[in-house]
Amino acid sequence: MLQLQVYRTAENFKKEIPWKVRFFDKNEMKNNSMTCIITGIEPGEYGVALLDDENSNKDMDYTMFVPDEGFGFSDYYHTAWSKPKFESFKFQLTEDKTVTIKVRYV
């Protein structure tokens, strides 16, 4: 299962309180790619985080502080060991928008 978390502020991202959460079935993937559509979002500032929730427990799992599951962020590929800053993956939504999320597995 893929979990998309939509954030509106840096503070909510830091506290891990998403504005919206959507779940998508990975069986819909084709050629290691998938399109997920989220509708009904008003203009504003957003950031999207993705979790490849392999065991469907709705949480990121860790071993020795290292993520066991894939993760990604809107139009930003995170390579550091610490959590990214909201400013790194936020975007302004003024009309329909496509964001690309590349999933990283550590």
Coordinates of all heavy atoms in Angstrom, one line a residue, residues 2 25-36 100-101:
L2 N 0.5 2.2 -0.8 CA 1.2 3.5 -0.8 C 0.4 4.5 0.0 O -0.8 4.6 -0.2 CB 1.4 4.0 -2.2 CG 2.3 3.2 -3.1 CD1 2.3 3.9 -4.5 CD2 3.7 3.1 -2.6
D25 N -3.4 1.4 -3.8 CA -3.0 0.0 -3.9 C -1.8 -0.1 -4.9 O -1.9 0.4 -6.1 CB -4.2 -0.8 -4.4 CG -3.9 -2.3 -4.4 OD1 -2.7 -2.7 -4.4 OD2 -4.9 -3.1 -4.5
K26 N -0.7 -0.7 -4.5 CA 0.5 -0.8 -5.4 C 0.2 -1.7 -6.5 O 1.0 -1.7 -7.5 CB 1.7 -1.3 -4.6 CG 2.2 -0.3 -3.6 CD 3.6 -0.6 -3.0 CE 3.8 -2.0 -2.6 NZ 5.1 -2.2 -1.9
N27 N -0.8 -2.6 -6.5 CA -1.1 -3.4 -7.6 C -1.5 -2.7 -8.9 O -1.5 -3.2 -10.0 CB -2.2 -4.4 -7.2 CG -1.8 -5.4 -6.2 OD1 -0.6 -5.8 -6.2 ND2 -2.7 -5.9 -5.4
E28 N -1.8 -1.4 -8.7 CA -2.1 -0.5 -9.9 C -0.9 0.0 -10.6 O -1.0 0.7 -11.6 CB -3.0 0.6 -9.4 CG -4.3 0.2 -8.9 CD -5.2 1.3 -8.3 OE1 -5.0 2.4 -8.7 OE2 -6.0 1.0 -7.4
M29 N 0.3 -0.3 -10.1 CA 1.6 0.1 -10.7 C 1.8 -0.5 -12.1 O 1.5 -1.7 -12.2 CB 2.8 -0.1 -9.8 CG 2.8 0.7 -8.6 SD 4.2 0.4 -7.6 CE 5.5 1.2 -8.6
K30 N 2.3 0.2 -13.0 CA 2.7 -0.3 -14.3 C 4.1 0.3 -14.6 O 4.3 1.5 -14.6 CB 1.7 0.1 -15.4 CG 0.4 -0.5 -15.2 CD -0.6 -0.1 -16.2 CE -1.9 -0.8 -15.9 NZ -3.1 -0.1 -16.3
N31 N 5.0 -0.6 -15.0 CA 6.4 -0.2 -15.3 C 7.0 0.6 -14.2 O 7.7 1.6 -14.4 CB 6.5 0.6 -16.6 CG 6.0 -0.2 -17.8 OD1 6.3 -1.4 -17.9 ND2 5.2 0.4 -18.7
N32 N 6.8 0.1 -12.9 CA 7.4 0.8 -11.7 C 6.9 2.3 -11.6 O 7.6 3.1 -11.1 CB 8.9 0.7 -11.7 CG 9.4 -0.6 -11.4 OD1 8.7 -1.4 -10.6 ND2 10.5 -1.0 -11.9
S33 N 5.7 2.6 -12.1 CA 5.2 3.9 -12.0 C 3.7 3.9 -11.7 O 3.1 2.9 -12.1 CB 5.5 4.6 -13.4 OG 5.1 6.0 -13.3
M34 N 3.2 4.9 -11.2 CA 1.8 5.0 -10.8 C 1.4 6.4 -10.8 O 2.1 7.3 -10.4 CB 1.6 4.4 -9.4 CG 0.2 4.3 -9.0 SD 0.3 3.4 -7.4 CE -1.4 3.2 -7.1
T35 N 0.1 6.7 -11.2 CA -0.4 8.0 -11.1 C -1.5 8.0 -10.0 O -2.4 7.2 -10.1 CB -1.1 8.4 -12.5 OG1 0.0 8.4 -13.4 CG2 -1.7 9.8 -12.4
C36 N -1.4 8.9 -9.1 CA -2.4 9.0 -8.0 C -3.0 10.4 -8.1 O -2.3 11.4 -8.2 CB -1.7 8.9 -6.6 SG -0.8 7.4 -6.4
T100 N 6.1 14.9 -9.1 CA 6.8 13.6 -9.2 C 7.5 13.2 -7.9 O 8.1 14.1 -7.3 CB 7.9 13.7 -10.3 OG1 7.3 14.1 -11.6 CG2 8.6 12.4 -10.5
I101 N 7.2 12.0 -7.5 CA 7.9 11.5 -6.3 C 8.7 10.3 -6.6 O 8.1 9.3 -7.1 CB 6.8 11.1 -5.2 CG1 6.0 12.4 -4.9 CG2 7.4 10.5 -4.0 CD1 4.8 12.1 -3.9

